[in-house]
Amino acid sequence: MTSYAPTKNDIAWEKIFEKYNILHRIKENRFFEITASAINEFREARLMTKFDNQANLPRLFLENNLSILPITRGSYVIGDFLAYQNLEPLQAELRQVSIPDNIQTIDFENITSESLAINCAYISGILADFLEDDNLLPTVSGRMSSDIFSFNILTKSGDLANLQVENSQIEIDGGFEGPSQFCIVEAKNYLSNDFLVRQLYYPLRLWAKKLTKPIRTLFLAYSNGIFNLYEYVFSDLQTYNSLTLVKQGRYIFKTAPITREDILYILHNSPIVPEPDVPFPQANNFLRVINLCELLAQGIMTRDEITSNYAFTPRQTNYYTDAGRYLGLIEKKTIDDEIIFSLTTEGYRIMKLPYRQRQLAFVEKILSHRVFNEALKDRLGHGDAPTEEDIVKIMKSQTPYGEATLKRRASTVRSWIKWILSLIST
């Protein structure tokens, strides 16, 4: 059991599980159906059933290997379904594309929503290049009804469950049709380790009955100026879990390269700041620190909102908001007994910068802290990140932590330095 405070969803679902004895009924009947009206008694069903990533699931679901899927417009089914697909690390080379110079209504440096990310991917030719089709046109998007279908889904116990879907509400972020294909795009403006297969599978089942041409399913994750694309193929249309990754791509709008000299200049000219009264960072994926700043650039968020709506566990929410606070990018307040996060003035300034300047501004923020600065100086001549042992030696004279804690923190230092080195164009 985690020591972190339960979310509002955690609390409401605990009451629902108790009222309907859900764990016992799942044990007897394999799964449990529940209506939106029953959920609404405790909290709005719209907020209680939207779990786009496994990390978002309420605590009772995670502890009992459960997930939830809609089966009609007003009802859901809970069971030990394998509802999520892990996102494989992207290996594709980062490709640069041009921004059309006749488009004035889009700020290509400030893409703040999934719909805008899709529009930019289409306008810039990213989708045409990835799908190898110059004749694609945007045709369908938004909410629609799933129609009626049944499907098999794997469970964590290893068998198949058969579910019936009847006019469940679905939403397509983007549908693009060419002479010989139709593509369904599910988009996110945040980074995660997995995604909810339903968001591709239900639309696929709807349109497979309507079209004769092949249908392709594409997952797009946009963050920090980079479009990450994954194409999946469902080998068996009747089976939810039959998807296989068949293609991946990474795209960025053309920009001047970041050179080794750029990093060296920042390394040797950044003034060292006093250590803030914030825990030393324990957040290894610096891209997710940036992504959190992107989300907060759209407005203030509560700790509960970050945990419930994005791919963070409660522990990760604390770690990554603390990392942003350590760098002076995020501030934390308590209003009416609720913890609120927002960008600092400096955070807003950096997030408004063009891509290249923004990356260098993040580098400067990191290297203005002595441990990171000395660790990079210590190993930059070797062309790779320092070892954790090297970093621990540096940290011993700079921080009050014990050996075990130093090793955990050293992994963050090493990861952030590897991110800095990855910016250098070869």
Side-chain angles (χ1 to χ4, degrees):
M1 180 75 70
T2 178
S3 60
Y4 290 94
T7 66
K8 293 176 182 177
N9 278 345
D10 288 332
I11 295 169
W13 273 111
E14 285 172 5
K15 294 176 181 177
I16 294 172
F17 269 61
E18 182 179 1
K19 177 175 181 176
Y20 294 101
N21 199 12
I22 290 176
L23 291 179
H24 176 73
R25 295 177 71 172
I26 289 176
K27 187 175 181 180
E28 284 192 336
N29 304 313
R30 299 185 66 199
F31 41 79
F32 176 77
E33 293 186 18
I34 188 167
T35 64
S37 59
I39 298 172
N40 285 334
E41 180 184 344
F42 297 88
R43 195 167 188 242
E44 190 178 349
R46 177 182 60 85
L47 303 174
M48 289 277 282
T49 58
K50 187 181 184 301
F51 309 119
D52 291 348
N53 306 98
Q54 204 160 0
N56 304 140
L57 287 166
R59 190 159 58 187
L60 268 175
F61 283 72
L62 290 171
E63 290 174 351
N64 294 281
N65 295 319
L66 301 175
S67 56
I68 183 168
L69 292 169
I71 50 175
T72 72
R73 189 165 291 274
S75 62
Y76 306 83
V77 60
I78 301 171
D80 65 336
F81 311 123
L82 294 175
Y84 297 86
Q85 173 74 16
N86 289 334
L87 286 167
E88 297 84 346
L90 280 171
Q91 306 296 333
E93 179 183 351
L94 187 60
R95 302 183 65 175
Q96 292 198 1
V97 296
S98 298
I99 300 171
D101 55 16
N102 61 337
I103 301 296
Q104 299 182 5
T105 53
I106 293 178
D107 179 0
F108 289 90
E109 295 285 358
N110 189 29
I111 300 173
T112 57
S113 68
E114 284 97 358
S115 59
L116 188 54
I118 291 178
N119 285 346
C120 292
Y122 174 69
I123 292 168
S124 63
I126 290 173
L127 291 180
D129 183 80
F130 185 80
L131 296 168
E132 300 178 59
D133 189 341
D134 292 330
N135 298 303
L136 288 173
L137 293 172
T139 55
V140 297
S141 64
R143 295 178 180 176
M144 54 197 73
S145 176
S146 69
D147 211 341
I148 300 171
F149 65 92
S150 65
F151 67 95
N152 297 316
I153 184 169
L154 282 170
T155 66
K156 289 192 170 70
S157 53
D159 58 359
L160 285 172
N162 185 266
L163 300 180
Q164 309 289 321
V165 175
E166 182 174 349
N167 298 324
S168 173
Q169 180 174 284
I170 64 174
E171 185 165 0
I172 294 180
D173 290 335
F176 296 85
E177 188 170 357
S180 60
Q181 63 177 318
F182 173 63
C183 180
I184 296 167
V185 181
E186 172 65 24
K188 299 296 177 193
N189 65 341
Y190 61 87
L191 300 174
S192 63
N193 296 321
D194 59 21
F195 70 96
L196 181 60
V197 176
R198 172 183 65 78
Q199 294 176 317
L200 287 177
Y201 183 70
Y202 279 26
L204 172 64
R205 290 302 304 270
L206 170 66
W207 288 100
K209 293 198 298 186
K210 298 176 179 288
L211 305 180
T212 58
K213 60 182 63 176
I215 301 176
R216 298 171 72 173
T217 50
L218 183 65
F219 182 84
L220 185 160
Y222 174 83
S223 176
N224 193 33
I226 297 176
F227 296 81
N228 304 286
L229 285 78
Y230 306 76
E231 182 184 0
Y232 291 90
V233 167
F234 289 82
S235 58
D236 178 7
L237 194 60
Q238 303 297 320
T239 303
Y240 180 100
N241 309 94
S242 66
L243 71 166
T244 302
L245 178 68
V246 295
K247 189 175 183 180
Q248 56 180 223
R250 299 169 66 228
Y251 295 83
I252 189 171
F253 298 135
K254 285 184 178 178
T255 186
I258 291 173
T259 66
R260 180 183 176 88
E261 288 68 32
D262 292 323
I263 303 301
L264 285 172
Y265 181 85
I266 294 172
L267 178 64
H268 293 292
N269 290 278
S270 293
I272 302 301
V273 300
E275 284 297 287
D277 187 20
V278 178
F280 193 89
Q282 190 172 339
N284 285 6
N285 189 342
F286 191 74
L287 287 175
R288 297 202 73 186
V289 177
I290 297 175
N291 195 201
L292 179 57
C293 291
E294 289 179 309
L295 300 173
L296 290 174
Q298 300 171 44
I300 64 171
M301 298 177 69
T302 67
R303 181 165 59 184
D304 202 40
E305 285 172 335
I306 294 173
T307 302
S308 298
N309 295 313
Y310 300 100
F312 285 105
T313 64
R315 184 184 298 271
Q316 287 173 324
T317 296
N318 280 14
Y319 286 162
Y320 280 87
T321 52
D322 279 351
R325 292 171 61 215
Y326 177 85
L327 295 174
L329 304 171
I330 295 173
E331 58 184 354
K332 175 183 177 181
K333 296 179 180 178
T334 301
I335 301 175
D336 296 330
D337 296 325
E338 191 158 40
I339 296 175
I340 304 291
F341 295 98
S342 62
L343 288 186
T344 61
T345 301
E346 178 71 353
Y348 276 113
R349 182 191 72 81
I350 290 176
M351 295 312 298
K352 290 179 180 178
L353 293 173
Y355 173 81
R356 183 178 184 276
Q357 292 95 312
R358 187 166 67 244
Q359 309 315 300
L360 293 176
F362 282 125
V363 172
E364 184 174 354
K365 284 295 176 184
I366 295 171
L367 296 182
S368 66
H369 291 269
R370 187 173 300 280
V371 168
F372 293 89
N373 193 290
E374 291 189 9
L376 183 54
K377 284 178 180 175
D378 184 59
R379 290 292 290 183
L380 191 61
H382 296 77
D384 58 6
T387 65
E388 291 184 9
E389 290 76 14
D390 294 331
I391 297 168
V392 167
K393 291 178 183 177
I394 295 170
M395 293 181 71
K396 280 183 176 178
S397 62
Q398 305 292 335
T399 61
Y401 300 110
E403 188 78 20
T405 302
L406 284 176
K407 288 181 178 179
R408 290 196 298 272
R409 302 301 194 271
S411 67
T412 292
V413 177
R414 188 169 191 271
S415 295
W416 288 16
I417 289 176
K418 286 178 69 175
W419 174 77
I420 292 174
L421 295 175
S422 74
L423 296 174
I424 300 173
S425 297
T426 54

